[in-house]
Amino acid sequence: MLHWVLDVPVVDPVDRRNAPMLQLVSFLLAVLPTAAWCYRALLVDIPWRPGEVTGMVFGLSVSAIAALSLVLVRKGKFRPASHALLAVFAATVIPAYLVAGFGGQRFEQPVLAIWMAIAALAVGRVALWLMFLCIAAAFGLGIAVDIGKQGKAVELLGDAAFSMAIFLMIAVVLDRSSVALRESLREAQTRGDALDVANRRLKEEMAERERTFAQLVQAQKMEAVGRLASGGAHDFGNVLSVAGGYVRRGLHSGGEAQMRESLVGIDSAVSRANLLTRRLLSLVRQEEGVEEWFDPGEALTALIPMIRQLMGPDVRVEVTLNENLPSIFFDRMQFDLMILNVVANADHAMPDGGCFSLRARRNGSRLVLDLADTGAGMEDDVLAHLFEPFFTTKPRGQGSGLGLSVVRDLLQRAGGTVSAESSARIGTTISMRFADDLAEVSEARAESC
């Protein structure tokens, strides 16, 4: 029922808020006068006063207009409905008091307050005071009629003055209430508009943040590709040397078996070159991430050659992959990117050589990766800013300060965490902890949005 009352096709927001009230008032005006006059006609055992029948006709006419007003509101015509009610009231109240007198309209007087409420809440202050003046004029004319018929001027004037004082207080209360209501509605509308603007800006900022983050990830990919490409020429040179050796061997082979062996060697060298090419292309492509469950041990094993390539010739690489590592739900290319970013930072920290270790272990149901170097390490004040965007200790032009910031964001968006421990002249350990179920991933994704 409440949904039916609220669901009206009214465009103006203030009128739409007042529409339930006008429907209720129209319903009451259609029902109450009819019920009051039925009570007077059927249940009150006193003679009809002069003019009461005329008053009943006027009252029932108002009930009919109120029913029509209810229909108009349901069709979205709020203003015509409210104006129709007020116009009918103004056109009937004075004639009713002229015919029936003040006493003959006593049953109708409580209904007059409803008319004043309609004027105040649905139309405005001017309509309210016009209704009050109309009621005052009707009271005055009705008292004049009663004095002419009964002659009790003092008693009747006192009765009219008391009624006027009551309706004046009702008018004052309705005036202040309607002003406060309209001001609050305007303020609410203003706040609503401001919230809509702020919401649109927030959505735009979120979209811009997503675009910026994607660009940062791509920049880190390009940085990793650049470092890998510097060693790629050496790898391709080795591949070509091997392939060339097999070609020359095949050309000088004396039998089918030697020729087949040479072709198998060439095929192996070409496969190695294709694998290196695919790894480089997978990093450089700017595509939407594809999250999936995969075995981190297998992914890390595939990364070992690239890790060794990124490290300097004087850096010893140690990789420890514990058994029964839990699967993780992550983007495979972003997983590789995070590892290569940390490896690149470790290489920068050990210009004179050292040891880099990567350990994958299970902690409960979570995967934990510990990446440690024996480089220069960091003081506490530097360590505190390690994961902040654009923070770097490298010389100008040798680092953007975005690598570990991207690592942190990628892990947090996937429900994981990252931390660092470092001591000056001893080294640094970066620990990555991954989420162990999709619920944590969904919760982290909701918080990041």
Side-chain angles (χ1 to χ4, degrees), residues 418-436:
V418 61
S419 61
E421 296 180 0
S422 185
S423 299
R425 295 176 298 279
I426 295 178
T428 302
T429 301
I430 304 293
S431 296
M432 303 180 188
R433 287 167 290 277
F434 293 80
D436 59 352

Side-chain angles (χ1 to χ4, degrees), residues 23-39 59-68 70 85 108 111 114:
Q23 291 179 86
L24 176 61
V25 170
S26 298
F27 175 77
L28 293 176
L29 286 175
V31 173
L32 291 181
T34 303
W37 284 113
C38 288
Y39 171 79
L60 295 178
S61 299
V62 169
S63 295
I65 298 299
L68 176 62
L70 179 61
L85 283 177
E108 291 283 347
V111 180
I114 299 178

Side-chain angles (χ1 to χ4, degrees), residues 190-417:
T190 302
R191 287 195 298 268
D193 294 340
L195 286 175
D196 288 339
V197 173
N199 187 43
R200 286 195 298 271
R201 289 178 179 174
L202 180 59
K203 289 181 178 179
E204 292 173 357
E205 290 175 359
M206 290 173 62
E208 181 63 25
R209 179 183 176 185
E210 291 294 330
R211 287 192 295 270
T212 302
F213 184 76
Q215 292 171 359
L216 291 178
V217 172
Q218 183 64 13
Q220 291 302 307
K221 288 182 180 180
M222 296 305 297
E223 183 178 340
V225 168
R227 292 180 60 84
L228 290 170
S230 64
H234 178 70
D235 276 1
F236 275 109
N238 290 337
V239 169
L240 292 175
S241 297
V242 172
Y246 280 115
V247 169
R248 288 189 295 272
R249 181 178 177 182
L251 290 174
H252 296 88
S253 63
E256 183 178 345
Q258 291 182 348
M259 176 63 73
R260 182 177 181 82
E261 183 180 346
S262 297
L263 291 176
V264 170
I266 293 172
D267 182 67
S268 176
V270 171
S271 297
R272 182 181 177 190
N274 285 334
L275 176 62
L276 179 59
T277 302
R278 285 196 301 270
R279 298 296 293 176
L280 289 172
L281 289 177
S282 67
L283 282 173
V284 77
R285 289 193 184 106
Q286 187 169 1
E287 299 175 347
E288 290 292 330
V290 178
E291 295 175 322
E292 59 183 344
W293 289 102
F294 64 89
D295 180 6
E298 178 185 341
L300 291 171
T301 300
L303 275 177
I304 290 175
M306 303 180 78
I307 292 173
R308 296 187 186 280
Q309 180 179 302
L310 281 173
M311 288 298 180
D314 297 326
V315 176
R316 186 176 73 259
V317 177
E318 298 177 354
V319 178
T320 304
L321 305 179
N322 290 1
E323 296 182 355
N324 299 322
L325 294 177
S327 297
I328 59 173
F329 187 77
F330 210 84
D331 180 84
R332 178 68 176 269
M333 290 301 103
Q334 291 180 353
F335 177 82
D336 293 354
L337 174 64
M338 290 194 306
I339 303 301
L340 294 176
N341 272 328
V342 176
V343 170
N345 286 339
D347 179 57
H348 280 295
M350 298 182 289
D352 299 324
C355 179
F356 173 80
S357 64
L358 188 158
R359 180 189 177 194
R361 56 188 173 89
R362 175 190 286 269
N363 183 5
S365 58
R366 289 176 175 266
L367 171 70
V368 179
L369 299 181
D370 297 317
L371 299 93
D373 64 67
T374 58
M378 291 173 283
E379 300 290 348
D380 290 343
D381 56 339
V382 176
L383 184 63
H385 301 282
L386 186 62
F387 296 103
E388 294 180 3
F390 305 108
F391 178 79
T392 180
T393 58
K394 299 174 185 176
R396 181 181 296 272
Q398 295 187 19
S400 63
L402 295 173
L404 290 178
S405 172
V406 171
V407 170
R408 180 202 59 188
D409 289 346
L410 288 174
L411 277 169
Q412 287 182 349
R413 287 160 60 90
T417 59

Side-chain angles (χ1 to χ4, degrees), residues 64-214:
I65 298 299
L68 176 62
S69 174
L70 179 61
V71 174
L72 290 175
V73 175
R74 295 305 309 166
K75 292 184 176 181
K77 300 178 180 179
F78 179 86
R79 291 287 174 171
S82 57
H83 290 159
L85 283 177
L86 296 178
V88 168
F89 168 77
T92 57
V93 66
I94 292 179
Y97 275 81
L98 279 174
V99 173
F102 182 80
Q105 289 293 318
R106 282 192 177 277
F107 281 103
E108 291 283 347
Q109 285 187 10
V111 180
L112 299 180
I114 299 178
W115 289 103
M116 294 173 65
I118 294 175
L121 300 178
V123 181
R125 300 179 67 189
V126 175
L128 167 65
W129 290 107
L130 286 176
M131 289 300 102
F132 175 75
L133 292 177
C134 186
I135 292 172
F139 281 5
L141 294 173
I143 287 295
V145 171
D146 288 348
I147 291 176
K149 292 178 180 180
Q150 303 176 22
K152 300 178 181 180
V154 176
E155 180 180 346
L156 291 173
L157 287 174
D159 192 6
F162 179 75
S163 297
M164 283 300 303
I166 292 177
F167 277 90
L168 178 60
M169 288 188 292
I170 293 174
V172 172
V173 172
L174 288 174
D175 179 82
R176 301 317 306 159
S177 299
S178 64
V179 170
L181 176 61
R182 289 185 175 274
E183 289 179 353
S184 65
L185 289 177
R186 281 195 296 270
E187 292 176 359
Q189 185 68 29
T190 302
R191 287 195 298 268
D193 294 340
L195 286 175
D196 288 339
V197 173
N199 187 43
R200 286 195 298 271
R201 289 178 179 174
L202 180 59
K203 289 181 178 179
E204 292 173 357
E205 290 175 359
M206 290 173 62
E208 181 63 25
R209 179 183 176 185
E210 291 294 330
R211 287 192 295 270
T212 302
F213 184 76

